[in-house]
Amino acid sequence: MRNLRHRAAVVLAGLLALGATSGCGIRPTSVPVDAGPAPSRVACTVPQSAMTPQFEGVTVEVYLVCGAQLVTAERSVRIPESKGAADRVRFAQTLLDQLITEPSAAEKDAGYTTEVKGPLTVTAARAHDAAGALRLSREPDDLSALALSQVVCTFAENTPAAPGTQQVVLGGPGEDPARGYTCTAEMKSRPDSTATLGEIPAPLRSPGS
């Protein structure tokens, strides 16, 4: 009888110890826990030493993608010295080419990418377009949301439809009228969202009309 009581006491002590362990918040599990990969971080900053231009030119800012946002990158470009509508179109094409070009090694290391893919060209406004309109070789809405955001904000920064605005007027190769697109803070912070169709600005009226 004494041995039986001793064994019962040992079993009871073991149960009490197990209950104390459970009360401390320890939960046994047979299923491995996968917390997933550690979140990646990108700098989105190119070292100043890597930004030295390779030739004499004008410094412009183009919008690239970094960390799911639009971030400016400085580029040195050659632009025509003369003025005029044709030069504005050539300048717009230069900016477009910069967006199409793969980021430099330093930019890639900082996390920069571009969604603008070639071939993509720009031409001048048509007779019934608003003043300052630019026509792309593809319909603007056929571009990905990221690519269109890059184009809109880069053009708005460097060749706005009107001085002091953040709007550009873009059309495609078809007969659809050119529309105004505004580079907003939301577009910069969420460039992967679909751009809202802008208004159709009034066409440029010729003298005497």
Side-chain angles (χ1 to χ4, degrees):
M1 180 66 69
R2 182 179 301 174
N3 291 338
L4 180 60
R5 289 177 179 175
H6 177 73
R7 284 198 294 267
V10 171
V11 172
L12 179 60
L15 291 175
L16 290 175
L18 179 60
T21 302
S22 300
C24 293
I26 300 175
R27 295 291 187 272
T29 177
S30 60
V31 180
V33 177
D34 183 7
S40 60
R41 296 182 179 180
V42 289
C44 293
T45 302
V46 179
Q48 191 67 33
S49 59
M51 297 171 60
T52 304
Q54 298 179 350
F55 52 82
E56 292 294 328
V58 175
T59 299
V60 296
E61 289 188 340
V62 299
Y63 280 87
L64 302 180
V65 181
C66 187
Q69 296 183 341
L70 292 188
V71 180
T72 56
E74 289 188 358
R75 299 283 176 82
S76 182
V77 299
R78 292 188 177 97
I79 62 173
E81 295 181 359
S82 56
K83 306 295 183 180
D87 293 327
R88 181 176 183 274
V89 172
R90 286 206 297 259
F91 184 33
Q93 184 64 57
T94 299
L95 295 172
L96 201 55
D97 292 341
Q98 288 295 317
L99 292 176
I100 295 171
T101 302
E102 283 293 315
S104 66
E107 289 171 341
K108 287 182 178 179
D109 289 343
Y112 288 68
T113 62
T114 183
E115 291 296 319
V116 183
K117 309 299 181 185
L120 187 61
T121 57
V122 60
T123 55
R126 295 179 181 172
H128 299 292
D129 286 337
L134 296 168
R135 288 273 177 173
L136 301 177
S137 58
R138 298 206 303 267
E139 291 292 341
D141 296 329
D142 287 344
L143 302 176
S144 69
L146 282 172
L148 181 57
S149 296
Q150 284 184 253
V151 172
V152 168
C153 287
T154 297
F155 282 179
E157 183 77 24
N158 298 279
T159 59
T165 69
Q166 283 292 301
Q167 186 183 76
V168 292
V169 182
L170 297 177
E175 297 302 323
D176 291 340
R179 293 179 176 271
Y181 294 86
T182 303
C183 178
T184 63
E186 182 179 3
M187 180 178 284
K188 293 177 183 178
S189 62
R190 298 184 58 191
D192 57 341
S193 59
T194 304
T196 302
L197 282 176
E199 75 280 4
I200 302 175
L204 178 64
R205 296 183 179 274
S206 59
S209 60

